[in-house]
Amino acid sequence: GKMERKVLKEITLSKGRKATVYEGTGKDFLTALEIAQASGGGFKEAILSLMEQLIEIDGRRVTAEELKKLPLQDFAVLYAVFQQTG
């Protein structure tokens, strides 16, 4: 269902799709890291897992596989949100 979280950012992607990025917490990141490590992944997989938890496109949750299939310009914009520390 709908996520009970604050919206961090709304981004218009190519083809007019709307991405909503929700605010995450340290706990979200640690959970993502655990999920990634459990499947033998590292930081990159953890970020993908975090993106899965916190992004909706056109009001729908997306999987890591779907994220990987996004056009690069869309993926890059979404990925950048998770790289910002300031």
Side-chain angles (χ1 to χ4, degrees):
K2 269 300 200 206
M3 290 193 263
E4 297 297 314
R5 292 178 181 273
K6 273 174 62 187
V7 172
L8 177 66
K9 226 173 214 190
E10 291 191 317
I11 299 166
T12 302
L13 303 176
S14 64
K15 302 193 182 108
R17 291 182 300 179
K18 291 237 182 301
T20 306
V21 182
Y22 292 89
E23 248 174 36
T25 62
K27 183 172 178 285
D28 292 325
F29 180 71
L30 293 172
T31 300
L33 205 51
E34 279 168 27
I35 292 167
Q37 285 169 342
S39 59
F43 187 73
K44 184 179 61 155
E45 287 76 19
I47 295 282
L48 268 174
S49 175
L50 191 62
M51 289 172 76
E52 256 184 346
Q53 293 179 58
L54 299 175
I55 293 173
E56 284 181 353
I57 295 178
D58 290 338
R60 197 176 66 76
R61 301 281 296 270
V62 286
T63 65
E65 288 313 305
E66 288 174 297
L67 288 167
K68 287 178 190 173
K69 291 187 181 117
L70 287 175
L72 182 59
Q73 72 267 29
D74 293 345
F75 183 84
V77 170
L78 293 171
Y79 190 80
V81 175
F82 292 86
Q83 296 296 297
Q84 287 164 3
T85 49

PDB file of all heavy atoms in Angstrom, residues 6-11 19-23 54 56 77-78 80-81 84:
ATOM      1  N   LYS A   6       7.326  10.693   4.867  1.00  0.00           N
ATOM      2  CA  LYS A   6       7.402  12.021   4.274  1.00  0.00           C
ATOM      3  C   LYS A   6       8.050  11.937   2.901  1.00  0.00           C
ATOM      4  O   LYS A   6       8.998  11.184   2.710  1.00  0.00           O
ATOM      5  CB  LYS A   6       8.238  12.946   5.165  1.00  0.00           C
ATOM      6  CG  LYS A   6       7.411  13.624   6.243  1.00  0.00           C
ATOM      7  CD  LYS A   6       8.273  14.410   7.201  1.00  0.00           C
ATOM      8  CE  LYS A   6       9.035  15.536   6.511  1.00  0.00           C
ATOM      9  NZ  LYS A   6       9.996  16.193   7.432  1.00  0.00           N
ATOM     10  N   VAL A   7       7.520  12.721   1.985  1.00  0.00           N
ATOM     11  CA  VAL A   7       8.110  12.776   0.652  1.00  0.00           C
ATOM     12  C   VAL A   7       9.369  13.632   0.704  1.00  0.00           C
ATOM     13  O   VAL A   7       9.354  14.756   1.200  1.00  0.00           O
ATOM     14  CB  VAL A   7       7.102  13.364  -0.368  1.00  0.00           C
ATOM     15  CG1 VAL A   7       7.775  13.609  -1.708  1.00  0.00           C
ATOM     16  CG2 VAL A   7       5.920  12.423  -0.535  1.00  0.00           C
ATOM     17  N   LEU A   8      10.462  13.075   0.216  1.00  0.00           N
ATOM     18  CA  LEU A   8      11.729  13.793   0.186  1.00  0.00           C
ATOM     19  C   LEU A   8      11.822  14.607  -1.099  1.00  0.00           C
ATOM     20  O   LEU A   8      12.214  15.765  -1.099  1.00  0.00           O
ATOM     21  CB  LEU A   8      12.885  12.783   0.264  1.00  0.00           C
ATOM     22  CG  LEU A   8      14.307  13.318   0.182  1.00  0.00           C
ATOM     23  CD1 LEU A   8      14.623  14.169   1.399  1.00  0.00           C
ATOM     24  CD2 LEU A   8      15.299  12.172   0.076  1.00  0.00           C
ATOM     25  N   LYS A   9      11.438  13.965  -2.209  1.00  0.00           N
ATOM     26  CA  LYS A   9      11.611  14.594  -3.512  1.00  0.00           C
ATOM     27  C   LYS A   9      10.630  14.019  -4.514  1.00  0.00           C
ATOM     28  O   LYS A   9      10.356  12.821  -4.484  1.00  0.00           O
ATOM     29  CB  LYS A   9      13.028  14.276  -4.004  1.00  0.00           C
ATOM     30  CG  LYS A   9      13.768  15.468  -4.554  1.00  0.00           C
ATOM     31  CD  LYS A   9      15.216  15.111  -4.847  1.00  0.00           C
ATOM     32  CE  LYS A   9      16.041  16.358  -4.559  1.00  0.00           C
ATOM     33  NZ  LYS A   9      17.393  16.297  -4.986  1.00  0.00           N
ATOM     34  N   GLU A  10      10.142  14.880  -5.396  1.00  0.00           N
ATOM     35  CA  GLU A  10       9.348  14.389  -6.514  1.00  0.00           C
ATOM     36  C   GLU A  10      10.091  14.750  -7.787  1.00  0.00           C
ATOM     37  O   GLU A  10      10.515  15.886  -7.958  1.00  0.00           O
ATOM     38  CB  GLU A  10       7.946  14.973  -6.481  1.00  0.00           C
ATOM     39  CG  GLU A  10       7.164  14.423  -5.303  1.00  0.00           C
ATOM     40  CD  GLU A  10       5.685  14.747  -5.332  1.00  0.00           C
ATOM     41  OE1 GLU A  10       5.350  15.905  -5.658  1.00  0.00           O
ATOM     42  OE2 GLU A  10       4.877  13.859  -5.017  1.00  0.00           O
ATOM     43  N   ILE A  11      10.286  13.763  -8.638  1.00  0.00           N
ATOM     44  CA  ILE A  11      11.113  13.941  -9.826  1.00  0.00           C
ATOM     45  C   ILE A  11      10.323  13.496 -11.053  1.00  0.00           C
ATOM     46  O   ILE A  11       9.697  12.437 -11.031  1.00  0.00           O
ATOM     47  CB  ILE A  11      12.397  13.084  -9.703  1.00  0.00           C
ATOM     48  CG1 ILE A  11      13.219  13.527  -8.479  1.00  0.00           C
ATOM     49  CG2 ILE A  11      13.236  13.174 -10.976  1.00  0.00           C
ATOM     50  CD1 ILE A  11      14.301  12.547  -8.070  1.00  0.00           C
ATOM     51  N   ALA A  19       8.380  10.127 -10.389  1.00  0.00           N
ATOM     52  CA  ALA A  19       8.996   9.347  -9.319  1.00  0.00           C
ATOM     53  C   ALA A  19       8.842  10.097  -8.007  1.00  0.00           C
ATOM     54  O   ALA A  19       9.009  11.315  -7.954  1.00  0.00           O
ATOM     55  CB  ALA A  19      10.466   9.111  -9.611  1.00  0.00           C
ATOM     56  N   THR A  20       8.491   9.368  -6.971  1.00  0.00           N
ATOM     57  CA  THR A  20       8.420   9.934  -5.635  1.00  0.00           C
ATOM     58  C   THR A  20       9.467   9.239  -4.789  1.00  0.00           C
ATOM     59  O   THR A  20       9.503   8.014  -4.721  1.00  0.00           O
ATOM     60  CB  THR A  20       7.029   9.704  -5.015  1.00  0.00           C
ATOM     61  OG1 THR A  20       6.035  10.210  -5.915  1.00  0.00           O
ATOM     62  CG2 THR A  20       6.896  10.418  -3.682  1.00  0.00           C
ATOM     63  N   VAL A  21      10.342  10.036  -4.191  1.00  0.00           N
ATOM     64  CA  VAL A  21      11.361   9.482  -3.302  1.00  0.00           C
ATOM     65  C   VAL A  21      10.950   9.842  -1.879  1.00  0.00           C
ATOM     66  O   VAL A  21      10.731  11.020  -1.571  1.00  0.00           O
ATOM     67  CB  VAL A  21      12.764  10.059  -3.603  1.00  0.00           C
ATOM     68  CG1 VAL A  21      13.803   9.419  -2.682  1.00  0.00           C
ATOM     69  CG2 VAL A  21      13.130   9.829  -5.070  1.00  0.00           C
ATOM     70  N   TYR A  22      10.822   8.830  -1.046  1.00  0.00           N
ATOM     71  CA  TYR A  22      10.420   9.053   0.336  1.00  0.00           C
ATOM     72  C   TYR A  22      11.631   9.154   1.241  1.00  0.00           C
ATOM     73  O   TYR A  22      12.691   8.610   0.941  1.00  0.00           O
ATOM     74  CB  TYR A  22       9.505   7.915   0.812  1.00  0.00           C
ATOM     75  CG  TYR A  22       8.174   7.923   0.119  1.00  0.00           C
ATOM     76  CD1 TYR A  22       7.979   7.240  -1.079  1.00  0.00           C
ATOM     77  CD2 TYR A  22       7.109   8.656   0.634  1.00  0.00           C
ATOM     78  CE1 TYR A  22       6.756   7.270  -1.735  1.00  0.00           C
ATOM     79  CE2 TYR A  22       5.886   8.696  -0.012  1.00  0.00           C
ATOM     80  CZ  TYR A  22       5.716   8.002  -1.197  1.00  0.00           C
ATOM     81  OH  TYR A  22       4.518   8.044  -1.847  1.00  0.00           O
ATOM     82  N   GLU A  23      11.440   9.848   2.361  1.00  0.00           N
ATOM     83  CA  GLU A  23      12.518  10.009   3.332  1.00  0.00           C
ATOM     84  C   GLU A  23      12.813   8.679   3.995  1.00  0.00           C
ATOM     85  O   GLU A  23      11.900   8.006   4.465  1.00  0.00           O
ATOM     86  CB  GLU A  23      12.090  11.017   4.402  1.00  0.00           C
ATOM     87  CG  GLU A  23      12.872  12.298   4.331  1.00  0.00           C
ATOM     88  CD  GLU A  23      12.346  13.346   5.285  1.00  0.00           C
ATOM     89  OE1 GLU A  23      11.910  12.998   6.400  1.00  0.00           O
ATOM     90  OE2 GLU A  23      12.369  14.513   4.892  1.00  0.00           O
ATOM     91  N   LEU A  54      12.273   2.922  -1.000  1.00  0.00           N
ATOM     92  CA  LEU A  54      11.910   4.329  -0.840  1.00  0.00           C
ATOM     93  C   LEU A  54      11.437   5.041  -2.103  1.00  0.00           C
ATOM     94  O   LEU A  54      11.140   6.232  -2.050  1.00  0.00           O
ATOM     95  CB  LEU A  54      13.102   5.104  -0.246  1.00  0.00           C
ATOM     96  CG  LEU A  54      13.572   4.629   1.141  1.00  0.00           C
ATOM     97  CD1 LEU A  54      14.810   5.388   1.561  1.00  0.00           C
ATOM     98  CD2 LEU A  54      12.475   4.772   2.173  1.00  0.00           C
ATOM     99  N   GLU A  56       8.778   5.276  -5.427  1.00  0.00           N
ATOM    100  CA  GLU A  56       7.600   4.851  -6.175  1.00  0.00           C
ATOM    101  C   GLU A  56       7.663   5.550  -7.522  1.00  0.00           C
ATOM    102  O   GLU A  56       8.086   6.709  -7.606  1.00  0.00           O
ATOM    103  CB  GLU A  56       6.309   5.267  -5.470  1.00  0.00           C
ATOM    104  CG  GLU A  56       5.957   4.417  -4.273  1.00  0.00           C
ATOM    105  CD  GLU A  56       4.659   4.852  -3.602  1.00  0.00           C
ATOM    106  OE1 GLU A  56       4.103   5.902  -3.999  1.00  0.00           O
ATOM    107  OE2 GLU A  56       4.210   4.158  -2.693  1.00  0.00           O
ATOM    108  N   VAL A  77      19.472  10.136 -11.930  1.00  0.00           N
ATOM    109  CA  VAL A  77      18.831  11.172 -11.102  1.00  0.00           C
ATOM    110  C   VAL A  77      18.352  10.572  -9.781  1.00  0.00           C
ATOM    111  O   VAL A  77      18.550  11.152  -8.710  1.00  0.00           O
ATOM    112  CB  VAL A  77      17.641  11.822 -11.858  1.00  0.00           C
ATOM    113  CG1 VAL A  77      16.836  12.717 -10.940  1.00  0.00           C
ATOM    114  CG2 VAL A  77      18.149  12.618 -13.047  1.00  0.00           C
ATOM    115  N   LEU A  78      17.741   9.401  -9.853  1.00  0.00           N
ATOM    116  CA  LEU A  78      17.233   8.746  -8.638  1.00  0.00           C
ATOM    117  C   LEU A  78      18.390   8.298  -7.749  1.00  0.00           C
ATOM    118  O   LEU A  78      18.367   8.488  -6.534  1.00  0.00           O
ATOM    119  CB  LEU A  78      16.363   7.546  -9.010  1.00  0.00           C
ATOM    120  CG  LEU A  78      15.047   7.889  -9.712  1.00  0.00           C
ATOM    121  CD1 LEU A  78      14.366   6.631 -10.220  1.00  0.00           C
ATOM    122  CD2 LEU A  78      14.116   8.661  -8.788  1.00  0.00           C
ATOM    123  N   ALA A  80      21.328   9.521  -7.564  1.00  0.00           N
ATOM    124  CA  ALA A  80      22.005  10.688  -6.981  1.00  0.00           C
ATOM    125  C   ALA A  80      21.356  11.122  -5.666  1.00  0.00           C
ATOM    126  O   ALA A  80      22.046  11.594  -4.765  1.00  0.00           O
ATOM    127  CB  ALA A  80      22.015  11.839  -7.974  1.00  0.00           C
ATOM    128  N   VAL A  81      20.053  10.963  -5.571  1.00  0.00           N
ATOM    129  CA  VAL A  81      19.345  11.338  -4.340  1.00  0.00           C
ATOM    130  C   VAL A  81      19.921  10.586  -3.140  1.00  0.00           C
ATOM    131  O   VAL A  81      20.044  11.125  -2.046  1.00  0.00           O
ATOM    132  CB  VAL A  81      17.819  11.038  -4.462  1.00  0.00           C
ATOM    133  CG1 VAL A  81      17.102  11.306  -3.149  1.00  0.00           C
ATOM    134  CG2 VAL A  81      17.203  11.861  -5.585  1.00  0.00           C
ATOM    135  N   GLN A  84      23.549  11.860  -1.842  1.00  0.00           N
ATOM    136  CA  GLN A  84      23.716  13.185  -1.244  1.00  0.00           C
ATOM    137  C   GLN A  84      23.804  13.077   0.268  1.00  0.00           C
ATOM    138  O   GLN A  84      22.963  12.458   0.900  1.00  0.00           O
ATOM    139  CB  GLN A  84      22.545  14.090  -1.640  1.00  0.00           C
ATOM    140  CG  GLN A  84      22.617  14.519  -3.091  1.00  0.00           C
ATOM    141  CD  GLN A  84      21.302  15.074  -3.585  1.00  0.00           C
ATOM    142  OE1 GLN A  84      20.341  15.200  -2.850  1.00  0.00           O
ATOM    143  NE2 GLN A  84      21.265  15.379  -4.869  1.00  0.00           N
TER     144      GLN A  84
END
